[in-house]
Amino acid sequence: MAISEIINYYGEKHRPYMGGLVNHLPMGQLAIYKMSNDLDKVNYFTEAFLERNHIVQVTDTYPRIDGLEETLGKRELYESCLEFLSKEINQENLDEYINHILNKYILGLSSGLFHTTIRLAYAIEGVRLDSDLINEVERGLAYYVTAYRESKLFTRAIQGSDIKEEMTNLVNDEEIRNILESQSSLGKKIRALYGEKDFLDKGFIIEGSQEDKIKALLNLLVPAYYFSGNIVVLHCITALHAVVVLRDYFDDFSRALDILTTSILTHLLTISYHDYIREIGEVAHVSWEGVLSVAAEKTDVHTVKLAYSGSELSRLYGVYGLKEIAIKRIRSS
């Protein structure tokens, strides 16, 4: 049996949605495999996930469509979108198709708490291992299109070294706080913020190279997750990893990072954590190999994904604290 057989077997049966939640199964399956190269661990994780979660089944009855635009932002048309994509995509045009969708709908990177981008990135990593996972790429693209929600783009640029001070200013801004307090849910808070020109003027992106932008975001996010344990912060970190995985598909990767920065900062404002100056003092005296070995035994999908993303981001950018947050999540799961 191959990893593609496992992921495709369950992927063909299930939608990317679980009511108001998200089907994390294929992401967890691939992360376990990438960390352990052990299909038995993948199967164990799969059984545990299915025992505790109810995933919505695909339906055989759905309307046929003539183009992707008909399904944009319409989760009820997932099957219609997937059928259309499955007819359009083959091994020869796969990269071209991914490039087309990501650039045309680039403001959708944060849709569904970044899950659409994260799942697509996992699918891309999967197909690099096993070409039969092209079907998972199609499912990831259909999810990205049907769950599409549009973000904004800040334009004021700051130095990466100022990111914590600038984030603190946003958190303490009275007008922003009033907007947030007037709304009841994460989605409503984000929409209300995006609707205010003053907020768009106060937000910021990061000057410098692509690596400067990524490291600045990690230096903000990693301590924030360590001290808050907030699931929104966790998804901001795994989303950053996802966009890095997808970097070659963007016509302008720096602009993609600016859009992601806009979305991340806006999402962070919706949570109760405010102490962005605080630094991690603990140092983990254990190797990443040891961390991943333990994480691959876990059945909590967010623990699995954070350990995997953390190890990859650490390998690429060497930012302190990624191992520490992975260990802290493992200990709490």
Side-chain angles (χ1 to χ4, degrees):
M1 179 176 288
I3 185 62
S4 60
E5 293 179 72
I6 298 174
I7 292 175
N8 283 332
Y9 175 78
Y10 293 100
E12 289 167 4
K13 295 169 60 175
H14 298 132
R15 302 183 101 232
Y17 310 105
M18 300 194 310
L21 302 176
V22 174
N23 173 13
H24 289 79
L25 181 57
M27 295 177 275
Q29 289 169 326
L30 188 72
I32 293 282
Y33 185 72
K34 292 273 283 186
M35 291 191 296
S36 69
N37 197 34
D38 189 331
L39 292 176
D40 288 337
K41 286 184 171 61
V42 176
N43 285 321
Y44 176 76
F45 170 84
T46 301
E47 291 171 6
F49 187 91
L50 293 173
E51 279 181 12
R52 67 172 67 146
N53 295 287
H54 174 70
I55 311 175
V56 178
Q57 301 280 316
V58 296
T59 179
D60 294 328
T61 306
Y62 51 87
R64 270 55 184 179
I65 61 166
D66 297 317
L68 291 180
E69 288 289 341
E70 297 177 44
T71 68
L72 189 65
K74 299 177 181 177
R75 57 186 290 173
E76 70 275 10
L77 293 180
Y78 168 74
E79 289 86 356
S80 304
C81 184
L82 179 58
E83 180 185 66
F84 180 85
L85 287 170
S86 296
K87 291 177 179 178
E88 292 278 307
I89 294 174
N90 54 57
Q91 292 286 358
E92 286 69 38
N93 72 359
L94 179 63
D95 288 344
E96 181 181 330
Y97 220 96
I98 297 166
N99 170 271
H100 168 71
I101 288 179
L102 280 179
N103 288 287
K104 185 171 184 178
Y105 305 123
I106 195 170
L107 290 176
L109 290 176
S110 64
S111 301
L113 192 55
F114 306 98
H115 282 110
T116 55
T117 302
I118 297 168
R119 178 160 180 179
L120 180 58
Y122 271 74
I124 295 302
E125 291 200 302
V127 84
R128 290 170 181 166
L129 288 175
D130 186 333
S131 61
D132 286 340
L133 278 169
I134 188 173
N135 303 110
E136 176 59 16
V137 176
E138 292 167 0
R139 291 187 288 268
L141 288 170
Y143 178 35
Y144 188 94
V145 172
T146 58
Y148 182 82
R149 294 292 182 271
E150 196 166 282
S151 69
K152 300 290 185 178
L153 173 60
F154 296 147
T155 56
R156 182 171 70 91
I158 67 160
Q159 293 291 322
S161 57
D162 295 331
I163 191 170
K164 293 186 177 185
E165 180 182 351
E166 290 281 356
M167 186 65 202
T168 300
N169 291 340
L170 290 181
V171 165
N172 293 328
D173 187 282
E174 186 175 354
E175 291 182 6
I176 292 175
R177 189 161 54 245
N178 289 338
I179 294 170
L180 292 168
E181 290 174 354
S182 70
Q183 304 297 327
S184 59
S185 67
L186 183 147
K188 290 179 180 179
K189 290 176 191 289
I190 289 174
R191 285 193 293 275
L193 288 172
Y194 283 156
E196 294 288 335
K197 183 181 184 302
D198 284 348
F199 170 69
L200 298 179
D201 291 337
K202 291 173 181 175
F204 59 86
I205 54 177
I206 301 154
E207 289 182 344
S209 67
Q210 296 165 3
E211 185 168 333
D212 291 337
K213 295 171 187 284
I214 293 166
K215 285 186 173 181
L217 285 172
L218 287 173
N219 286 328
L220 178 74
L221 292 168
V222 171
Y225 181 73
Y226 185 87
F227 292 112
S228 73
N230 189 282
I231 198 70
V232 172
V233 187
L234 184 152
H235 282 91
C236 291
I237 295 169
T238 54
L240 180 54
H241 172 220
V243 170
V244 168
V245 169
L246 296 169
R247 66 184 305 156
D248 291 340
Y249 293 102
F250 295 107
D251 293 339
D252 185 344
F253 183 53
S254 287
R255 181 170 181 264
L257 288 172
D258 292 342
I259 292 169
L260 184 70
T261 299
T262 302
S263 301
I264 284 175
L265 298 179
T266 306
H267 277 74
L268 291 180
L269 287 169
T270 68
I271 68 175
S272 59
Y273 185 73
H274 294 161
D275 191 1
Y276 286 97
I277 304 300
R278 198 173 179 188
E279 299 285 357
I280 301 172
E282 178 183 352
V283 177
H285 299 289
V286 61
S287 68
W288 268 114
E289 289 77 10
V291 172
L292 298 184
S293 176
V294 175
E297 302 284 347
K298 295 294 183 177
T299 57
D300 175 74
V301 70
H302 291 109
T303 300
V304 169
K305 289 168 61 185
L306 182 63
Y308 175 59
S309 287
S311 69
E312 291 295 293
L313 289 168
S314 179
R315 176 179 62 82
L316 292 168
Y317 302 106
V319 171
Y320 171 71
L322 285 161
K323 189 187 301 178
E324 285 69 21
I325 62 171
I327 291 172
K328 193 163 188 178
R329 178 78 195 192
I330 287 170
R331 288 172 176 167
S332 66
S333 64

